[in-house]
Amino acid sequence: MLHILLLILKIVGIIIAVLIGCILLSLCLALFVPVHYRVELKRTEGEGCPPIEVNARITWLLHFINIRVLYPADIYLRVRVLFFTLFRLPEKNKKEKKKKDVKSKGNKKEKSDNDSDKNIDKEIDKHTDKEIDKDTDKGKKEQGGESEEAENIKTEQSQDVNKKGMEDKSEETTTSENTGDEIQDKKEKISLKSRINKILGLFKNIWYTIKGICGKIKEILENIEYYLDIIKSDTFKQAFSLCKGELGTIFNYVKPRKFMADLIIGMDDPAATGQILSYYGILYPLIGNNVTVTGDFDRKRIEGSVFFKGRIKLFTFLKAVIRIYFSKDIKKLLKLFKKEDA
């Protein structure tokens, strides 16, 4: 019985050890195996030629993962793991083409059937409209005689109402003339008070706004002085030097290992092309044979090809992040920038 239990524990331990080993191996591969990139750019002028051609490739772990980007092309993105393509854009399959053809044929048949049905419906509607028009004409003739008698009665009633309204208005005008003078005097007094109150309110608002602006300016000046003292401090200098050094190491590792460029430049004015070539001559000791520039003094054009490749390792980024995160100077700086914690 104990022998069986020990065997089971042994198998479970081996499985756990294998899983831990696989996890550690995958972490080491992700951190220490670099990602290689290779980019080619071309530019040619002329009818039918694209302005820029791009051919980029990203590989990892001896082409275990292979990403390719082409522009302009039918396939402009493809991701491949070993020999299996995970996805490609745009996707063009024969099955989709067949489905589109079948759908287009079906749509044509439906359109022809719908057109025939519409013609039949139009003929039926014409017959029904003629019958309805005949019935409406008869109804209008019968209702014509009754409507004339009703209109005569309405005109007599409206004349009586207008006479009564004129008598009432004459009585109201006599009373309103007496009260109009009193109301005007009250309105003039109220208008003077309201104008004075408005002027006083404007002066108060201006005074409060000037006070608020002065207070904000004082706060801004105090904040500027506070942050200038932080920038002049030793903690800021040490933190800045640490960040600068880490970013420099990342750039030195990420920058292209190989860079080649072959350019043909021509401007409208031959003097401008000559000036560009003179600048190229000044920069030649720094650039070297990696970049070649030839001038075209006959016509205006910018053509050529650029090629560069390099590698990126995740461990360099992780090392820089850990050093910046655990540095005491940066923690002090963050506390100083937050005034509440300072």
Side-chain angles (χ1 to χ4, degrees):
M1 192 75 182
L2 285 167
H3 183 69
I4 294 161
L5 284 168
L6 289 167
L7 268 172
I8 291 162
L9 289 168
K10 188 179 178 181
I11 292 158
V12 170
I14 290 161
I15 290 161
I16 290 163
V18 169
L19 287 168
I20 291 163
C22 290
I23 290 161
L24 288 169
L25 197 141
S26 61
L27 280 168
C28 289
L29 288 171
L31 289 170
F32 296 105
V33 176
V35 176
H36 293 272
Y37 63 89
R38 180 191 176 96
V39 180
E40 292 179 9
L41 302 169
K42 286 182 182 178
R43 190 179 190 279
T44 53
E45 291 184 356
E47 293 181 358
C49 294
I52 296 169
E53 293 179 8
V54 181
N55 185 1
R57 187 174 284 176
I58 299 162
T59 57
W60 180 73
L61 195 65
L62 299 170
H63 295 269
F64 180 76
I65 293 171
N66 190 348
I67 299 165
R68 195 175 181 187
V69 179
L70 293 171
Y71 175 82
D74 294 331
I75 302 161
Y76 61 86
L77 179 61
R78 186 188 67 196
V79 179
R80 193 183 275 178
V81 177
L82 282 175
F83 300 105
F84 304 102
T85 57
L86 290 177
F87 67 91
R88 58 194 284 181
L89 295 170
E91 292 180 353
K92 288 184 179 181
N93 294 324
K94 292 180 180 178
K95 290 180 180 179
E96 289 181 357
K97 286 181 180 179
K98 286 179 181 178
K99 285 179 182 178
K100 285 179 181 178
D101 293 331
V102 171
K103 284 180 182 179
S104 62
K105 288 178 182 177
N107 290 321
K108 285 178 182 178
K109 287 180 181 178
E110 287 177 0
K111 283 180 181 178
S112 62
D113 294 331
N114 290 323
D115 292 330
S116 61
D117 293 330
K118 284 178 182 178
N119 291 322
I120 293 161
D121 293 329
K122 284 179 182 179
E123 290 178 357
I124 292 162
D125 292 330
K126 285 178 183 179
H127 290 296
T128 52
D129 290 332
K130 287 179 182 179
E131 292 176 357
I132 290 160
D133 292 330
K134 288 178 182 178
D135 295 329
T136 52
D137 292 330
K138 289 179 182 179
K140 285 178 181 179
K141 288 178 182 179
E142 290 176 356
Q143 291 175 0
E146 294 176 357
S147 61
E148 288 178 358
E149 293 177 358
E151 286 177 357
N152 292 322
I153 294 162
K154 286 179 182 179
T155 52
E156 290 176 358
Q157 290 175 356
S158 62
Q159 287 175 359
D160 296 328
V161 171
N162 289 322
K163 287 178 182 179
K164 290 178 181 179
M166 292 293 285
E167 291 174 357
D168 294 328
K169 284 179 182 178
S170 61
E171 291 176 358
E172 288 175 358
T173 51
T174 54
T175 54
S176 62
E177 285 176 356
N178 295 321
T179 56
D181 297 328
E182 294 176 357
I183 291 162
Q184 283 180 357
D185 295 330
K186 288 179 181 179
K187 283 182 179 179
E188 286 176 357
K189 289 177 182 178
I190 291 161
S191 64
L192 284 168
K193 287 179 180 179
S194 64
R195 284 175 185 174
I196 292 159
N197 289 322
K198 282 180 181 178
I199 291 160
L200 291 169
L202 282 168
F203 282 114
K204 283 180 182 179
N205 289 324
I206 290 160
W207 177 247
Y208 287 132
T209 51
I210 289 161
K211 272 188 174 181
I213 290 160
C214 292
K216 285 179 180 178
I217 289 162
K218 282 181 182 179
E219 286 179 2
I220 290 160
L221 290 169
E222 286 174 359
N223 287 323
I224 289 162
E225 286 178 0
Y226 177 76
Y227 288 116
L228 283 169
D229 292 332
I230 290 166
I231 289 161
K232 289 174 184 177
S233 64
D234 294 328
T235 53
F236 181 81
K237 288 176 183 178
Q238 288 173 1
F240 181 75
S241 64
L242 191 143
C243 293
K244 187 181 176 182
E246 292 299 324
L247 288 168
T249 53
I250 288 165
F251 178 74
N252 286 325
Y253 196 82
V254 170
K255 72 179 182 180
R257 296 293 178 90
K258 193 174 181 181
F259 182 82
M260 298 290 289
D262 189 6
L263 303 172
I264 300 164
I265 296 169
M267 304 300 287
D268 291 327
D269 189 5
T273 56
Q275 196 171 3
I276 289 162
L277 290 171
S278 67
Y279 292 144
Y280 168 66
I282 293 161
L283 294 169
Y284 184 76
L286 296 170
I287 296 162
N289 293 320
N290 293 323
V291 179
T292 58
V293 179
T294 56
D296 189 357
F297 294 94
D298 296 327
R299 63 191 181 92
K300 185 182 177 182
R301 62 169 176 158
I302 298 168
E303 292 182 1
S305 62
V306 178
F307 168 77
F308 59 92
K309 68 175 183 177
R311 60 181 184 175
I312 301 164
K313 199 185 280 185
L314 189 64
F315 180 71
T316 52
F317 290 98
L318 188 71
K319 187 176 77 173
V321 168
I322 288 163
R323 285 191 71 185
I324 289 163
Y325 183 76
F326 288 104
S327 79
K328 292 177 181 179
D329 295 319
I330 287 164
K331 285 179 180 178
K332 282 180 184 177
L333 261 180
L334 291 170
K335 284 180 180 179
L336 288 168
F337 279 120
K338 293 176 182 178
K339 287 186 176 180
E340 294 175 359
D341 298 331

